[in-house]
């Protein structure tokens, strides 16, 4: 028998007696998922062991066969751990690969493992287990980033910098306040992954191909053994559901967008015109021809990864958008975008955590930028409203004239002589200088959630308690 005939026979044995001929080379290649779904081998072994233990407990297979299968699965797992998962495309996927090797090891009892299940509920279970574990892993990585953000924010709770709108200097804030804004974003990201994990708490195993099974299985037992809260309630939905994967990708995309925003700020701040931050050498690169360059490549790649992660979400949404119940082969393409997004997000989080932890913030330059950007103009307008009882629109016009004068002289607002301010409007008096400095402006923003250092420190204290740092 030729090698091709032998591989056809092996594939036919898996497909059963329905087909007279083996698959064509094209069908073999397009049908095989083992190059990527081999990543599920841990989950596949775990779910198979839970399934066969339940079958034995229910008297559907003998305990002797169940013990042989379980021991054989442990041996297969050891081989995978030591040597990786072999890629025989004729075996199509991780499920057939494992079952085939199990049969080589223990013989006929291996054929009883697939009793009362289908590859449809098997892959849904394995993939959901993988996604649940990925949610837990990313939550831990997000928590580590939050710790670094809070730590650096505490160092700079009173470090003044310009706050921007439209990337134009708006009002002075503190660097600690700015960093804590990202702490809040990351907190929302964590909540989305927690929700995704919770919604993926129903176990598909035992739904079989699409209609359930006639065997007297106990799905509660397998669900509990695998860490799920309960079995899925509808077998059609169970084998065709990929909402859990979309939930993960949606959370990953939102998280990547937040990381991209922070990366963009680091890129801008690290540029010479700004000079607000020096990024760690370990996460920067140089130029092949310009020796003065220090490029924020890690930040740029985090920014770039956000587009790829969003693309992974779009890919799976388009795959799922028109599928009738129940399983369709299109769903084989569900795993690559999730695996890719998870890998990119993990790398992005590690890079961002390292950048924030190792960044050197140039606080004097930040403060100078706030002072030269007329960031206290709103404070002058507010003072005119409060102290001189001037309507805000008129106060806005007066303040604009003061800014124009300061700009023409290259001065900060609080450096303008009182006499010059009174030329603009006689109602301005000496008291105005109490609000025109950046320090006074920041200190005055003491409303809950504001940038006043006392408020920033209060939010940091809350965050440290939430993170278990106190």
């Amino acid at each position: 028998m030729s090698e091709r005939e032998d591989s056809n026979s092996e594939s036919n044995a898996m497909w059963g007696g329905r087909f007279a001929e083996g698959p064509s080379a094209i069908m073999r290649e397009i049908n095989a998922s083992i190059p990527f779904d081999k990543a599920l081998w841990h989950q596949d072994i775990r779910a198979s062991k839970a399934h066969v233990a339940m079958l034995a407990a229910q008297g559907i297979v003998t305990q002797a066969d169940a013990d042989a299968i379980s021991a054989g699965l442990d041996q297969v797992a050891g081989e995978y751990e030591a040597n990786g998962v072999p890629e025989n495309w004729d075996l199509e996927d991780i499920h057939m690969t494992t079952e085939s090797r199990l049969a080589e090891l223990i013989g006929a009892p291996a054929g009883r493992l697939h009793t009362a299940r289908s590859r449809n509920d098997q892959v849904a279970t394995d993939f959901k287990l993988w996604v649940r574990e990925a949610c837990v892993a990313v939550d831990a990585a997000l928590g580590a980033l939050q710790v670094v953000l809070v730590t650096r924010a505490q160092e700079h709770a009173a470090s003044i910098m310009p706050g921007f709108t439209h990337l134009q200097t708006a009002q002075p804030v503190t660097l600690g306040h700015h960093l804590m804004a990202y702490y809040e974003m990351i907190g929302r990201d964590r909540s989305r992954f927690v929700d995704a994990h919770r919604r993926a708490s129903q176990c598909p195993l035992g739904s079989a191909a699409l209609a359930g099974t006639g065997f007297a299985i106990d799905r509660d037992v397998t669900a509990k053994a695998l860490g799920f809260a309960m079995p899925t309630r509808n077998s059609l939905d169970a084998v065709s559901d990929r909402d859990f994967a979309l939930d993960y990708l949606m959370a990953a995309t939102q998280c990547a967008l937040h990381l991209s925003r922070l990366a963009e700020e680091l890129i801008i701040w690290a540029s010479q015109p700004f000079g607000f931050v020096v990024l760690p050498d370990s996460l920067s690169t140089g130029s092949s021809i310009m020796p003065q360059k220090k490029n924020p490549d890690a930040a740029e790649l985090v920014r770039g990864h956000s587009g790829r992660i969003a693309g992974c979400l779009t890919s799976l949404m388009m795959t799922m958008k028109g599928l009738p119940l129940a399983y369709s082969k299109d769903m084989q393409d569900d795993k690559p975008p999730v695996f890719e997004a998870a890998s990119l997000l993990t790398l992005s989080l590690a890079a961002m955590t390292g950048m924030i932890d190792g960044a050197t913030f140039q606080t004097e330059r930040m403060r100078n930028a706030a002072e030269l950007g007329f960031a206290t103009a709103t404070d002058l307008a507010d003072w005119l409203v409060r102290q001189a009882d001037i309507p805000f629109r008129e106060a806005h016009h007066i303040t604009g004239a003061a800014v124009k004068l300061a700009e023409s002289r290259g001065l900060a607002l609080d450096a303008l002589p009182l006499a010059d301010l009174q030329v603009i409007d006689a109602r301005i008096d000496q008291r105005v200088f109490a609000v025109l400095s950046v320090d006074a402006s920041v200190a005055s923003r003491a409303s809950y959630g504001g940038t006043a250092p006392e408020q920033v420190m209060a939010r940091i204290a809350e965050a440290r308690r939430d993170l278990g740092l106190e």
Side-chain angles (χ1 to χ4, degrees), residues 132 135 191-202 229 247:
R132 280 168 60 84
C135 287
S191 73
R192 277 182 277 271
F193 284 108
V194 169
D195 286 345
H197 184 272
R198 177 183 54 80
R199 277 192 295 273
S201 63
Q202 296 182 359
D247 276 351

Side-chain angles (χ1 to χ4, degrees), residues 119-202:
R119 276 192 294 174
N120 293 353
D121 63 333
Q122 189 178 0
V123 68
T125 302
D126 293 352
F127 193 22
K128 188 175 279 191
L129 284 170
W130 192 96
V131 168
R132 280 168 60 84
E133 292 169 15
C135 287
V136 173
V138 76
D139 180 68
L142 287 167
L145 176 55
Q146 281 189 308
V147 169
V148 170
L149 286 167
V150 167
T151 301
R152 300 311 307 272
Q154 188 167 4
E155 294 173 25
H156 294 287
S159 300
I160 291 174
M161 64 173 290
F164 299 99
T165 61
H166 309 280
L167 206 57
Q168 303 293 313
T169 299
Q171 295 176 328
V173 297
T174 70
L175 175 56
H177 192 55
H178 196 109
L179 293 174
M180 287 300 290
Y182 285 97
Y183 170 86
E184 296 294 334
M185 294 183 211
I186 298 303
R188 293 193 294 274
D189 292 330
R190 293 186 72 178
S191 73
R192 277 182 277 271
F193 284 108
V194 169
D195 286 345
H197 184 272
R198 177 183 54 80
R199 277 192 295 273
S201 63
Q202 296 182 359

Side-chain angles (χ1 to χ4, degrees), residues 65 69 99 102-104 106-114:
D65 282 346
I69 290 169
E99 187 175 331
L102 182 66
E104 291 174 354
I106 69 170
R112 300 190 183 279
L113 173 59
H114 211 52

Side-chain angles (χ1 to χ4, degrees), residues 189-264:
D189 292 330
R190 293 186 72 178
S191 73
R192 277 182 277 271
F193 284 108
V194 169
D195 286 345
H197 184 272
R198 177 183 54 80
R199 277 192 295 273
S201 63
Q202 296 182 359
C203 180
L205 193 58
S207 298
L210 75 163
T213 178
F215 290 95
I217 61 175
D218 189 336
R219 295 188 62 209
D220 287 298
V221 166
T222 47
K224 183 177 181 181
L226 294 173
F228 291 98
M230 60 181 291
T232 50
R233 292 185 290 246
N234 184 286
S235 59
L236 282 168
D237 176 56
V239 299
S240 60
D241 166 42
R242 293 299 183 270
D243 287 0
F244 61 90
L246 288 168
D247 276 351
Y248 177 87
L249 288 174
M250 289 176 185
T253 298
Q254 183 66 74
C255 180
L257 296 182
H258 288 153
L259 295 178
S260 182
R261 294 180 70 181
L262 181 51
E264 173 71 3

